[in-house]
Amino acid sequence: MARYEDCLRFVDGADYVLHCAALIPPRSDHNEKLAYECDYLASKNLVDAINASPTRERIKFVYIGTVAEYGNRNRKTMWGRVGDPMISSDYDCYSMNKIRAERYLFEHRPANFVSLRQTAIAHKYLFANNMSDGLMFHTSWNGPLEWVSDRDSGRLLTHLVAYDMEGRLKGFWNRIYNIGGGRSCRATGFESVSQGFALMGRSAKDFFSPEWNITRNFHGCYFLDGDELESILHFRRDSLADFWARMGKKHWCLKLAKIVPPALIKSLVFKPLLKDENAPMYWVNNGYEGHVKAFFGGREAFAKIPRRWAEFNLYCEGRDEKGEPFDNEASKDLAWAQKNHMALDHGYDESKPIGSLTIEDMRQAAAFRGGECLSESMKKGDLWTKLKWRCAEGHEFTMSPFTLLFGGYWCPLCEQPKPWATGKLAAHSPFFAQVYFADHDASETVDSYPLGGNGEKD
Ligand SMILES: [Zn+2]
């Protein structure tokens, strides 16, 4: 797919192009070049090929985006929705390239497209893929994750095509949606890991030490607007518990692990993984200072993580980071999110119908992103004609109101994740600051993290 000529052949005569191809972590963490080719270049080639096709008006393009585009979320930002800022986690080649690709799609839009931002998939290879890589430790214990099962994700695409062919998807195209499994698929990082180990009659506490896992710089959130896609495509059947029950049947022999002392499994299976170059403890022990800073907030913050589970505050045990009472189950309810005003600010009056948005709304949105709208006028409600903008750094660029307001994008130079300088962008932009400074302190504005990764020391 990194070859344009091949993409031309793929789309020739197609009615639908379902672009699910991606190189995801952990493989994208180990092969930056392949992540670029698969996650960015392949997407660009498909968009270009469709736009060059004589039947381009007929082709319907489905881009599968990712929850990773929303960056790391914590207690303050645990609920996400379309229009939230696009922030790649530092050192994450996957989200970096997915963000670039999606921006390209919006700015070169084919006649009929949709971006479906896929959340974490609970799939049958989950165990096998993650048990052999340091990625296993990239989940923060209290981080919010809304899963969706592999079967439900597949059903979604089947319904999409079937319903569209029946003419039932009026108003569906040229928009962005989040794919999530809903209430029954929401879990914190600790709950997610422990539900897997429950197949062996164990929990994360039996095999992990608290400081083995990162405290920030991953991704995952609960979706405020995930039910919208469900109301259109009716794809949800599985809860997270259903998925684990299915895995239990498939890996029935895991039950036998109950008779093995957990300390033995810890030393034979998990401790060796700490030496994997994708493991946070490897970064700590081998001078990967950029990684230690990005994923823990630095060595001092790492040193403060309790080493014993009894002292570590877990949402699922009713305590927040400071040990204050926290109702974890309630925090997964949409009603709780609405009552606690968890929706991020998008910097313009969202109560207005789209058709009545004017240049004044664009000026407001630009100011909230730390810049200005240079265009003097726009056609009322026109989301597609590109306007001119200037960011806080003085870069001038053109971009459609759709990409800005609904995509969550801003200056293409400042928002390039590399060299991992989101802090610099957030320092001038309340829009990005609301996510970035929820888990970074005020001093983390200037220094970008050294590139590193992929076997090189920072
Ligand atoms: Zn800029």
Side-chain angles (χ1 to χ4, degrees):
M1 292 177 68
R3 292 211 318 229
Y4 179 61
E5 311 79 65
D6 288 350
C7 291
L8 277 175
R9 280 176 42 226
F10 290 156
V11 306
D12 183 31
D15 298 303
Y16 296 89
V17 177
L18 309 180
H19 178 27
C20 307
L23 192 77
I24 66 169
R27 288 189 67 199
S28 58
D29 294 336
H30 298 288
N31 196 333
E32 193 175 337
K33 181 172 174 283
L34 200 58
Y36 165 79
E37 289 178 351
C38 189
D39 296 333
Y40 172 69
L41 194 54
S43 311
K44 176 184 182 297
N45 284 345
L46 282 177
V47 170
D48 291 345
I50 290 168
N51 285 337
S53 165
T55 57
R56 61 185 168 273
E57 297 298 326
R58 203 182 74 200
I59 301 172
K60 292 180 168 161
F61 181 59
V62 179
Y63 176 79
I64 302 296
T66 166
V67 64
E69 297 176 63
Y70 293 114
N72 195 68
R73 299 302 189 93
N74 67 4
R75 166 85 185 268
K76 293 177 200 156
T77 55
M78 63 203 296
W79 287 82
R81 63 188 176 121
V82 168
D84 283 359
M86 297 286 93
I87 296 184
S88 167
S89 289
D90 299 316
Y91 302 106
D92 181 14
C93 294
Y94 171 57
S95 59
M96 172 179 84
N97 285 299
K98 292 300 281 186
I99 286 173
R100 284 185 68 193
E102 197 193 48
R103 180 201 288 268
Y104 191 87
L105 164 67
F106 296 158
E107 290 293 277
H108 300 81
R109 62 192 180 103
N112 310 283
F113 75 89
V114 67
S115 179
L116 306 179
R117 291 175 178 163
Q118 172 83 50
T119 195
I121 301 188
H123 61 91
K124 60 183 177 180
Y125 305 111
L126 197 63
F127 246 53
N129 287 5
N130 290 352
M131 292 278 276
S132 55
D133 192 280
L135 180 75
M136 163 148 270
F137 309 110
H138 291 209
T139 304
S140 60
W141 297 120
N142 287 320
L145 292 165
E146 180 169 327
W147 295 83
V148 70
S149 77
D150 46 3
R151 292 197 305 201
D152 284 356
S153 301
R155 184 178 296 111
L156 181 152
L157 287 177
T158 312
H159 286 187
L160 190 160
V161 174
Y163 291 4
D164 191 63
M165 289 175 76
E166 291 164 15
R168 290 165 60 180
L169 295 188
K170 300 272 183 306
F172 171 78
W173 297 96
N174 303 341
R175 286 194 52 191
I176 308 164
Y177 303 86
N178 289 314
I179 304 176
R183 175 65 179 83
S184 69
C185 289
R186 292 180 192 136
T188 65
F190 183 87
E191 289 171 313
S192 303
V193 174
S194 286
Q195 283 176 20
F197 292 144
L199 302 183
M200 303 155 74
R202 303 289 176 201
S203 102
K205 290 184 184 181
D206 293 314
F207 302 136
F208 285 56
S209 295
E211 80 281 12
W212 289 2
N213 281 45
I214 56 157
T215 53
R216 65 180 196 182
N217 200 46
F218 190 54
H219 55 254
C221 62
Y222 302 150
F223 287 127
L224 278 162
D225 53 5
D227 292 345
E228 190 179 359
L229 195 60
E230 165 63 11
S231 73
I232 301 169
L233 297 178
H234 312 294
F235 59 94
R236 291 177 185 162
R237 302 281 188 282
D238 294 336
S239 67
L240 193 54
D242 294 333
F243 169 76
W244 286 117
R246 180 151 50 97
M247 291 290 276
K249 273 190 201 147
K250 185 178 157 71
H251 300 288
W252 58 270
C253 53
L254 282 174
K255 278 188 194 143
L256 303 176
K258 252 185 226 174
I259 54 171
V260 184
L264 191 64
I265 297 180
K266 187 173 180 176
S267 15
L268 290 180
V269 180
F270 295 102
K271 279 194 174 163
L273 272 181
L274 299 177
K275 293 181 181 154
D276 183 272
E277 70 161 37
N278 209 15
M281 287 304 286
Y282 179 88
W283 308 329
V284 168
N285 293 328
N286 290 279
Y288 280 59
E289 300 309 322
H291 278 68
V292 174
K293 178 92 173 139
F295 287 90
F296 292 105
R299 289 206 171 258
E300 220 173 285
F302 173 74
K304 280 187 192 156
I305 301 171
R307 267 45 179 175
R308 294 177 55 239
W309 282 111
E311 291 154 20
F312 194 94
N313 293 315
L314 289 169
Y315 290 0
C316 58
E317 292 178 352
R319 298 190 305 271
D320 73 4
E321 290 81 357
K322 292 179 182 151
E324 302 291 326
F326 182 67
D327 191 340
N328 184 49
E329 284 309 307
S331 77
K332 298 173 189 172
D333 292 334
L334 204 52
W336 181 92
Q338 284 157 349
K339 189 173 149 220
N340 288 282
H341 309 289
M342 297 304 285
L344 296 180
D345 192 347
H346 293 173
Y348 67 100
D349 182 0
E350 291 186 71
S351 66
K352 272 180 145 177
I354 290 173
S356 63
L357 292 173
T358 64
I359 196 73
E360 191 44 48
D361 297 296
M362 301 305 124
R363 288 186 187 124
Q364 270 182 34
F368 194 61
R369 285 147 183 80
E372 53 193 308
C373 181
L374 299 178
S375 296
E376 305 259 307
S377 62
M378 73 178 266
K379 196 174 145 216
K380 206 177 192 184
D382 176 7
L383 294 180
W384 303 109
T385 306
K386 291 182 185 181
L387 303 178
K388 244 185 130 181
W389 314 85
R390 181 161 57 210
C391 77
E393 298 285 317
H395 308 130
E396 293 186 6
F397 56 98
T398 58
M399 191 160 67
S400 73
F402 176 86
T403 307
L404 186 131
L405 299 180
F406 301 103
Y409 290 89
W410 181 233
C411 171
L413 288 174
C414 292
E415 209 181 351
Q416 289 271 9
K418 267 187 174 176
W420 318 117
T422 309
K424 197 173 167 192
L425 171 62
H428 302 289
S429 166
F431 181 62
F432 290 94
Q434 58 190 330
V435 174
Y436 187 79
F437 290 118
D439 58 10
H440 291 78
D441 72 45
S443 70
E444 296 182 83
T445 55
V446 181
D447 290 344
S448 54
Y449 299 109
L451 191 53
N454 303 314
E456 296 161 36
K457 257 192 170 184
D458 297 338

